Amino acid sequence: MVLTLTTTSTTTIRQYTGGLKMDMEDNTTVFSTLKSFNSFISHPEPPKRHSEQPAGSANLQINYKRSMELLDAAERVQSKSQYIQLDQEKKQMELSHKRARFELEKVATDSARDLEREVDRNQDLLGRIKRLEEKVGDAAKNLSEQSGNNKVLRKNFDDLNKKVLERDVRLNTANQMISSLHDEIRELKQTVQNQDCTISTKNLEIQSLQEQLDLQRRRYQEMSQLCQSLQSAQSSCSEHVNKIKELERRLSLQEQDIALVRTMRSEVARVQDLDKEVRRLREDNAYLRESRENSSLLKEEVEGLRRKLERMEKTNEDLVNSELEKERLIEKLQAWENLGQSTGLNIRKPEDLSREVIQIQQREIALKEQNYTLSSRVRSVDRSQSQLQGEASQQRSKALEEQKKRETQDALVRRLQKRVLLLTKERDGMRSILESYDSELSHTDYSPQLSKRLREAEDILQKTQSHHLEMEGQLTKAQEESGTLKLQLQSVELELESVRKQQSSVAESNSGMVIEEVLLLRQKIEDVEGERQRLEEQNNILEMRLERHSLQGDYDPVKTRVLHLKMNPTNVAKQQRQQETEALREEVTRLREHLRSLKDAGPLALQDDPHTGSPGLGLSLPPSQEVLDLRKQMESSEMKNKRLKEVFQRKIQEFRTMCYVLTGYQLDVTTENQYRLSSVYAEQMDDSLLFKKGSSGIMQLMETEFSKTLGEMVALHLHHQKSIPAFLSAVTLDLFSRQTIF
Amino acid sequence: MTSTLKGITLKGSAELVAEFFSFGINSILYQRGIYPPESFTRVTQYDMSLQLTTDGKLKDYLTKVVAQLKEWLFDCTVQKLVLVITCLETNEVLERWQFDIEYGCGRRTKSIKTIQDEIRSVIRQITATVTFLPLLETACAFDLLVYTDKDLMVPEKWEESGPQIIDQSEEVRLRSFTTSIHKVNSMVAYKRTDSA
């Protein structure tokens, strides 16, 4: 019972403690209660121990006391727990109080914030109110201003009204003026109408006057036509006069011609002599022409001969070349012929050579055949060798197999022998046993059985012996066979070696002799072929050349001749050409002489032409009047030019001398845009100033020896004052002063 | 003209060849412009239209030469006929039309038609060669040269002359035709123009 109480109390305590985990004070109270409880529990134990031995009834009382004490303790514990509970509730209440306070505080803060916000809003609103008040004040000001403006505008309006009234008054006056003007216009219109009438009358007058004008014009035209006819008549008259003059001139010319004719008649008498001379000259001409033709023919002959010469020279050269070639070929031939002597063969003609070559070729062929046969033999030998090798290998394998068989057979034999021994021993043993049995037992009817057995055993023995003999025989046979095979192998190997040796020996023996010959022959053949190709090429080239030449028209002068007609178109054309050229040349010379004569004669050609008419020209152009007029104009213009030039020169000279005298400087233009000034008072002839006109039109002073001496004046007048006239005048003053002093 | 029974005779062949020469020379003269084209008239020969000159002097000259050629062809003494074109200003040879004549045995019988076809193709080729020959810009004249055997007697009005070979020439071989007695090979050589 006590224990259960304690457990219940502890459980209640634990329950309470479990509910109050937050408060340390509660735990401590719990621990303190537990301690007291434990101490209480432990306290009754010693008395328990002390009172183990007394009687059982005292125990019951003690137990009852103890249970009462325990109950008290439990009640105390319960009360304490209740106290604790109340404490806890109080604390909870405090907590809740605190929470409520927190919440209140929060609410307070929130409300404070709201308050602040409200305060701010208030302030904003106050500010807005102020601004609005200000705006109101401004609006009131504006209003007042506007009212002022309104008043001003009203005043203006009144003024304008007054002006309008004045204008109305003026309009009325203007209207009155207009009406008066209209009256005036009516009067003017009337005057205009009057004037129109007068105009119409005047137009009629004008028409009549125009008709009179037309009449006058017609008369004028008639008069002008009459004038023109008069003028034409006058011109025809002048023409007639000119014609008369011309005719008079012709008459004069004819009179002159008559005079000429008279003189000609005198000359005609000389004609006969001239005829003779002409005939002689013609004969000479003909002779000269013939000689010229002959000369041309001769020239052609000469040309032909020259060409023949050239051809001959060419043929000569060709001859020489061919002779050289012939010599070369002869040398070659000799070399070829000597071949026979050099090689020791009987060679005199190329046929022998070819024969020899053929023989050599045949020998070569034979040798080749031998070679081929030998090689075929070698191949066959190789093949047989390979076959034998194969067989040998087979035999070896067979021998190995036989050996193995023999060994197995030997083993079998040994085993059999052992078995035989054993069997014999067994037999001996059996026999001994049998004998013993026999000895032991009686001599009964076992002997025929024994003898049968004996016989059977002996038969078996014999069989085994014979079998053994057979096996031995087979073994020996196999051994013999392997021995023979080995012998065969050895013999074949020996053959192979011998064949190989033969081959090598054969090869060596062949190469020695034949190859040398073959090489020599091959070389010869190559040389011969090379020469043949060269000769063929040369032949081709020569044939090409020949064909080319024949295409070009070359020919063998020994066999062929080139002919053509004497009067062939080329000759004719050439002659014509020559004649044309000669005629042209003659004309050219004639024209040149005429030109010269015309230039030399000039204005005198008019009168002297019939007399100076150059003989042989045959052209005497009478100088026309136009030419004379033009010549006169030319002369007059030339005279004018000359006079103008003289006048210009005089004027220029005057001007220059005046400039020199007045300004004291002589101006010369040395080159374009360069002007040389030389002063009157210059100490030396060479002293001069050079001015150059720049591209921009500014005059610049150039360096001369004289200008170097005037450095100060240059600096002063040109650089500072920038005035050339001042500089020049300073220079003249300076020179003048120098002159007067010295 | 020719006995058509067994083929051509020597005389007939000579006439055919001479006729070919006369027409050939005329066409060369026309094509190369040696004479003005107005002086030529069109005729039909060998089934084609050819040009023949109407210039009297030229005709005389050609008839003389062709007649003599016929004689020589009959005698088988002529080896070549050459038409040489020379420039009159520089006197140098510009073109050379050469016709080689070879003599055959005349065993093969050839009909006139085939011979005429061959001649036609030769003349056509002559006309075609004009396309690649250089222009003859200067005034030119021509001459006919005949290569004959040396031992031949030179007839009256004929004289010996040089071969008039062109230096620096290009040669072109043209077609040939044969009458089985005479075989005529044609070729043309012209002076190389240095601009090429």
Side-chain angles (χ1 to χ4, degrees), chain A residues 287-308:
Chain A
Y287 177 69
L288 282 167
R289 268 184 216 144
E290 279 177 19
S291 63
R292 193 180 53 182
E293 281 178 17
N294 285 334
S295 70
S296 65
L297 280 167
L298 284 166
K299 274 181 199 168
E300 280 181 26
E301 274 188 38
V302 160
E303 277 179 28
L305 285 167
R306 263 184 222 156
R307 278 179 212 145
K308 270 189 198 172

PDB file of all heavy atoms in Angstrom, chain A residues 287-308:
ATOM      1  N   TYR A 287      66.916  55.546-180.990  1.00  0.00           N
ATOM      2  CA  TYR A 287      68.127  54.795-180.688  1.00  0.00           C
ATOM      3  C   TYR A 287      68.296  54.668-179.178  1.00  0.00           C
ATOM      4  O   TYR A 287      68.593  53.611-178.650  1.00  0.00           O
ATOM      5  CB  TYR A 287      69.326  55.500-181.334  1.00  0.00           C
ATOM      6  CG  TYR A 287      70.627  54.846-181.009  1.00  0.00           C
ATOM      7  CD1 TYR A 287      70.938  53.595-181.517  1.00  0.00           C
ATOM      8  CD2 TYR A 287      71.545  55.476-180.155  1.00  0.00           C
ATOM      9  CE1 TYR A 287      72.125  52.985-181.198  1.00  0.00           C
ATOM     10  CE2 TYR A 287      72.731  54.866-179.847  1.00  0.00           C
ATOM     11  CZ  TYR A 287      73.038  53.628-180.368  1.00  0.00           C
ATOM     12  OH  TYR A 287      74.194  53.008-180.032  1.00  0.00           O
ATOM     13  N   LEU A 288      68.056  55.825-178.487  1.00  0.00           N
ATOM     14  CA  LEU A 288      68.214  55.807-177.027  1.00  0.00           C
ATOM     15  C   LEU A 288      67.217  54.866-176.387  1.00  0.00           C
ATOM     16  O   LEU A 288      67.527  54.123-175.451  1.00  0.00           O
ATOM     17  CB  LEU A 288      68.027  57.223-176.444  1.00  0.00           C
ATOM     18  CG  LEU A 288      69.229  58.144-176.597  1.00  0.00           C
ATOM     19  CD1 LEU A 288      68.831  59.571-176.281  1.00  0.00           C
ATOM     20  CD2 LEU A 288      70.360  57.705-175.702  1.00  0.00           C
ATOM     21  N   ARG A 289      65.973  54.895-176.916  1.00  0.00           N
ATOM     22  CA  ARG A 289      64.966  53.994-176.358  1.00  0.00           C
ATOM     23  C   ARG A 289      65.368  52.558-176.528  1.00  0.00           C
ATOM     24  O   ARG A 289      65.267  51.742-175.611  1.00  0.00           O
ATOM     25  CB  ARG A 289      63.600  54.225-177.045  1.00  0.00           C
ATOM     26  CG  ARG A 289      62.755  55.233-176.291  1.00  0.00           C
ATOM     27  CD  ARG A 289      61.378  55.385-176.923  1.00  0.00           C
ATOM     28  NE  ARG A 289      60.957  56.759-176.833  1.00  0.00           N
ATOM     29  CZ  ARG A 289      60.257  57.411-177.754  1.00  0.00           C
ATOM     30  NH1 ARG A 289      59.932  56.809-178.893  1.00  0.00           N
ATOM     31  NH2 ARG A 289      59.916  58.664-177.586  1.00  0.00           N
ATOM     32  N   GLU A 290      65.825  52.260-177.791  1.00  0.00           N
ATOM     33  CA  GLU A 290      66.255  50.886-178.012  1.00  0.00           C
ATOM     34  C   GLU A 290      67.368  50.508-177.068  1.00  0.00           C
ATOM     35  O   GLU A 290      67.378  49.436-176.473  1.00  0.00           O
ATOM     36  CB  GLU A 290      66.728  50.733-179.470  1.00  0.00           C
ATOM     37  CG  GLU A 290      65.555  50.537-180.449  1.00  0.00           C
ATOM     38  CD  GLU A 290      66.056  50.460-181.880  1.00  0.00           C
ATOM     39  OE1 GLU A 290      67.265  50.187-182.053  1.00  0.00           O
ATOM     40  OE2 GLU A 290      65.259  50.644-182.789  1.00  0.00           O
ATOM     41  N   SER A 291      68.315  51.477-176.991  1.00  0.00           N
ATOM     42  CA  SER A 291      69.430  51.161-176.094  1.00  0.00           C
ATOM     43  C   SER A 291      68.931  50.995-174.673  1.00  0.00           C
ATOM     44  O   SER A 291      69.387  50.134-173.915  1.00  0.00           O
ATOM     45  CB  SER A 291      70.485  52.264-176.170  1.00  0.00           C
ATOM     46  OG  SER A 291      69.936  53.483-175.730  1.00  0.00           O
ATOM     47  N   ARG A 292      67.924  51.841-174.300  1.00  0.00           N
ATOM     48  CA  ARG A 292      67.378  51.689-172.951  1.00  0.00           C
ATOM     49  C   ARG A 292      66.729  50.336-172.792  1.00  0.00           C
ATOM     50  O   ARG A 292      66.904  49.651-171.783  1.00  0.00           O
ATOM     51  CB  ARG A 292      66.370  52.804-172.679  1.00  0.00           C
ATOM     52  CG  ARG A 292      66.009  52.894-171.205  1.00  0.00           C
ATOM     53  CD  ARG A 292      65.033  53.985-170.937  1.00  0.00           C
ATOM     54  NE  ARG A 292      63.873  53.865-171.797  1.00  0.00           N
ATOM     55  CZ  ARG A 292      62.875  54.723-171.791  1.00  0.00           C
ATOM     56  NH1 ARG A 292      62.897  55.744-170.974  1.00  0.00           N
ATOM     57  NH2 ARG A 292      61.873  54.586-172.619  1.00  0.00           N
ATOM     58  N   GLU A 293      65.933  49.958-173.835  1.00  0.00           N
ATOM     59  CA  GLU A 293      65.317  48.644-173.749  1.00  0.00           C
ATOM     60  C   GLU A 293      66.374  47.574-173.641  1.00  0.00           C
ATOM     61  O   GLU A 293      66.279  46.663-172.825  1.00  0.00           O
ATOM     62  CB  GLU A 293      64.445  48.390-174.992  1.00  0.00           C
ATOM     63  CG  GLU A 293      63.097  49.096-174.899  1.00  0.00           C
ATOM     64  CD  GLU A 293      62.277  48.870-176.183  1.00  0.00           C
ATOM     65  OE1 GLU A 293      62.635  47.941-176.937  1.00  0.00           O
ATOM     66  OE2 GLU A 293      61.335  49.622-176.413  1.00  0.00           O
ATOM     67  N   ASN A 294      67.382  47.748-174.504  1.00  0.00           N
ATOM     68  CA  ASN A 294      68.457  46.771-174.437  1.00  0.00           C
ATOM     69  C   ASN A 294      69.065  46.746-173.049  1.00  0.00           C
ATOM     70  O   ASN A 294      69.369  45.684-172.511  1.00  0.00           O
ATOM     71  CB  ASN A 294      69.547  47.115-175.470  1.00  0.00           C
ATOM     72  CG  ASN A 294      69.104  46.772-176.871  1.00  0.00           C
ATOM     73  OD1 ASN A 294      68.264  45.878-177.042  1.00  0.00           O
ATOM     74  ND2 ASN A 294      69.643  47.440-177.884  1.00  0.00           N
ATOM     75  N   SER A 295      69.263  47.968-172.542  1.00  0.00           N
ATOM     76  CA  SER A 295      69.854  48.004-171.209  1.00  0.00           C
ATOM     77  C   SER A 295      68.946  47.345-170.204  1.00  0.00           C
ATOM     78  O   SER A 295      69.404  46.609-169.322  1.00  0.00           O
ATOM     79  CB  SER A 295      70.142  49.448-170.809  1.00  0.00           C
ATOM     80  OG  SER A 295      68.931  50.126-170.587  1.00  0.00           O
ATOM     81  N   SER A 296      67.612  47.588-170.352  1.00  0.00           N
ATOM     82  CA  SER A 296      66.708  46.930-169.397  1.00  0.00           C
ATOM     83  C   SER A 296      66.771  45.435-169.567  1.00  0.00           C
ATOM     84  O   SER A 296      66.806  44.680-168.585  1.00  0.00           O
ATOM     85  CB  SER A 296      65.284  47.447-169.584  1.00  0.00           C
ATOM     86  OG  SER A 296      64.809  47.079-170.869  1.00  0.00           O
ATOM     87  N   LEU A 297      66.823  45.006-170.870  1.00  0.00           N
ATOM     88  CA  LEU A 297      66.935  43.579-171.114  1.00  0.00           C
ATOM     89  C   LEU A 297      68.202  43.044-170.503  1.00  0.00           C
ATOM     90  O   LEU A 297      68.225  41.998-169.862  1.00  0.00           O
ATOM     91  CB  LEU A 297      66.932  43.306-172.617  1.00  0.00           C
ATOM     92  CG  LEU A 297      65.547  43.312-173.296  1.00  0.00           C
ATOM     93  CD1 LEU A 297      65.718  43.353-174.804  1.00  0.00           C
ATOM     94  CD2 LEU A 297      64.759  42.101-172.895  1.00  0.00           C
ATOM     95  N   LEU A 298      69.277  43.826-170.748  1.00  0.00           N
ATOM     96  CA  LEU A 298      70.562  43.396-170.208  1.00  0.00           C
ATOM     97  C   LEU A 298      70.482  43.314-168.691  1.00  0.00           C
ATOM     98  O   LEU A 298      71.007  42.396-168.079  1.00  0.00           O
ATOM     99  CB  LEU A 298      71.668  44.372-170.643  1.00  0.00           C
ATOM    100  CG  LEU A 298      72.138  44.241-172.105  1.00  0.00           C
ATOM    101  CD1 LEU A 298      72.958  45.442-172.506  1.00  0.00           C
ATOM    102  CD2 LEU A 298      72.928  42.967-172.295  1.00  0.00           C
ATOM    103  N   LYS A 299      69.818  44.332-168.138  1.00  0.00           N
ATOM    104  CA  LYS A 299      69.677  44.300-166.668  1.00  0.00           C
ATOM    105  C   LYS A 299      68.954  43.072-166.231  1.00  0.00           C
ATOM    106  O   LYS A 299      69.347  42.406-165.264  1.00  0.00           O
ATOM    107  CB  LYS A 299      68.901  45.532-166.193  1.00  0.00           C
ATOM    108  CG  LYS A 299      69.770  46.737-165.975  1.00  0.00           C
ATOM    109  CD  LYS A 299      68.906  47.898-165.484  1.00  0.00           C
ATOM    110  CE  LYS A 299      69.627  49.198-165.712  1.00  0.00           C
ATOM    111  NZ  LYS A 299      68.762  50.348-165.532  1.00  0.00           N
ATOM    112  N   GLU A 300      67.869  42.736-166.969  1.00  0.00           N
ATOM    113  CA  GLU A 300      67.139  41.532-166.583  1.00  0.00           C
ATOM    114  C   GLU A 300      68.020  40.313-166.737  1.00  0.00           C
ATOM    115  O   GLU A 300      68.043  39.433-165.874  1.00  0.00           O
ATOM    116  CB  GLU A 300      65.886  41.380-167.453  1.00  0.00           C
ATOM    117  CG  GLU A 300      64.752  42.264-166.959  1.00  0.00           C
ATOM    118  CD  GLU A 300      63.508  42.073-167.813  1.00  0.00           C
ATOM    119  OE1 GLU A 300      63.370  40.976-168.412  1.00  0.00           O
ATOM    120  OE2 GLU A 300      62.702  43.004-167.890  1.00  0.00           O
ATOM    121  N   GLU A 301      68.768  40.316-167.884  1.00  0.00           N
ATOM    122  CA  GLU A 301      69.681  39.192-168.049  1.00  0.00           C
ATOM    123  C   GLU A 301      70.641  39.127-166.895  1.00  0.00           C
ATOM    124  O   GLU A 301      70.941  38.068-166.368  1.00  0.00           O
ATOM    125  CB  GLU A 301      70.456  39.359-169.354  1.00  0.00           C
ATOM    126  CG  GLU A 301      69.693  38.786-170.560  1.00  0.00           C
ATOM    127  CD  GLU A 301      70.563  38.790-171.804  1.00  0.00           C
ATOM    128  OE1 GLU A 301      71.777  38.525-171.670  1.00  0.00           O
ATOM    129  OE2 GLU A 301      70.042  39.046-172.891  1.00  0.00           O
ATOM    130  N   VAL A 302      71.155  40.332-166.559  1.00  0.00           N
ATOM    131  CA  VAL A 302      72.103  40.363-165.449  1.00  0.00           C
ATOM    132  C   VAL A 302      71.461  39.823-164.182  1.00  0.00           C
ATOM    133  O   VAL A 302      72.045  39.045-163.448  1.00  0.00           O
ATOM    134  CB  VAL A 302      72.612  41.810-165.250  1.00  0.00           C
ATOM    135  CG1 VAL A 302      73.198  41.995-163.869  1.00  0.00           C
ATOM    136  CG2 VAL A 302      73.652  42.145-166.310  1.00  0.00           C
ATOM    137  N   GLU A 303      70.198  40.273-163.978  1.00  0.00           N
ATOM    138  CA  GLU A 303      69.508  39.775-162.768  1.00  0.00           C
ATOM    139  C   GLU A 303      69.381  38.278-162.817  1.00  0.00           C
ATOM    140  O   GLU A 303      69.629  37.582-161.831  1.00  0.00           O
ATOM    141  CB  GLU A 303      68.124  40.415-162.665  1.00  0.00           C
ATOM    142  CG  GLU A 303      68.162  41.779-162.029  1.00  0.00           C
ATOM    143  CD  GLU A 303      66.774  42.384-161.966  1.00  0.00           C
ATOM    144  OE1 GLU A 303      65.803  41.603-161.896  1.00  0.00           O
ATOM    145  OE2 GLU A 303      66.654  43.615-162.004  1.00  0.00           O
ATOM    146  N   GLY A 304      68.974  37.791-164.028  1.00  0.00           N
ATOM    147  CA  GLY A 304      68.840  36.352-164.170  1.00  0.00           C
ATOM    148  C   GLY A 304      70.161  35.662-163.916  1.00  0.00           C
ATOM    149  O   GLY A 304      70.231  34.641-163.237  1.00  0.00           O
ATOM    150  N   LEU A 305      71.211  36.268-164.478  1.00  0.00           N
ATOM    151  CA  LEU A 305      72.528  35.666-164.291  1.00  0.00           C
ATOM    152  C   LEU A 305      72.924  35.702-162.829  1.00  0.00           C
ATOM    153  O   LEU A 305      73.491  34.755-162.306  1.00  0.00           O
ATOM    154  CB  LEU A 305      73.569  36.413-165.138  1.00  0.00           C
ATOM    155  CG  LEU A 305      73.515  36.118-166.648  1.00  0.00           C
ATOM    156  CD1 LEU A 305      74.343  37.114-167.416  1.00  0.00           C
ATOM    157  CD2 LEU A 305      73.996  34.710-166.930  1.00  0.00           C
ATOM    158  N   ARG A 306      72.608  36.881-162.208  1.00  0.00           N
ATOM    159  CA  ARG A 306      72.926  36.952-160.774  1.00  0.00           C
ATOM    160  C   ARG A 306      72.219  35.867-160.000  1.00  0.00           C
ATOM    161  O   ARG A 306      72.787  35.214-159.135  1.00  0.00           O
ATOM    162  CB  ARG A 306      72.509  38.310-160.212  1.00  0.00           C
ATOM    163  CG  ARG A 306      73.640  39.285-160.147  1.00  0.00           C
ATOM    164  CD  ARG A 306      73.181  40.575-159.492  1.00  0.00           C
ATOM    165  NE  ARG A 306      73.726  41.699-160.206  1.00  0.00           N
ATOM    166  CZ  ARG A 306      73.215  42.914-160.228  1.00  0.00           C
ATOM    167  NH1 ARG A 306      72.090  43.151-159.603  1.00  0.00           N
ATOM    168  NH2 ARG A 306      73.801  43.880-160.891  1.00  0.00           N
ATOM    169  N   ARG A 307      70.923  35.716-160.343  1.00  0.00           N
ATOM    170  CA  ARG A 307      70.202  34.676-159.620  1.00  0.00           C
ATOM    171  C   ARG A 307      70.803  33.323-159.915  1.00  0.00           C
ATOM    172  O   ARG A 307      70.916  32.480-159.012  1.00  0.00           O
ATOM    173  CB  ARG A 307      68.726  34.691-160.031  1.00  0.00           C
ATOM    174  CG  ARG A 307      67.946  35.750-159.282  1.00  0.00           C
ATOM    175  CD  ARG A 307      66.511  35.780-159.708  1.00  0.00           C
ATOM    176  NE  ARG A 307      66.005  37.135-159.623  1.00  0.00           N
ATOM    177  CZ  ARG A 307      65.116  37.665-160.471  1.00  0.00           C
ATOM    178  NH1 ARG A 307      64.635  36.952-161.457  1.00  0.00           N
ATOM    179  NH2 ARG A 307      64.711  38.889-160.318  1.00  0.00           N
ATOM    180  N   LYS A 308      71.192  33.143-161.198  1.00  0.00           N
ATOM    181  CA  LYS A 308      71.821  31.870-161.529  1.00  0.00           C
ATOM    182  C   LYS A 308      73.080  31.693-160.722  1.00  0.00           C
ATOM    183  O   LYS A 308      73.346  30.619-160.191  1.00  0.00           O
ATOM    184  CB  LYS A 308      72.190  31.860-163.016  1.00  0.00           C
ATOM    185  CG  LYS A 308      71.099  31.335-163.913  1.00  0.00           C
ATOM    186  CD  LYS A 308      71.651  31.153-165.325  1.00  0.00           C
ATOM    187  CE  LYS A 308      70.530  31.068-166.326  1.00  0.00           C
ATOM    188  NZ  LYS A 308      71.019  31.086-167.697  1.00  0.00           N
TER     189      LYS A 308
END
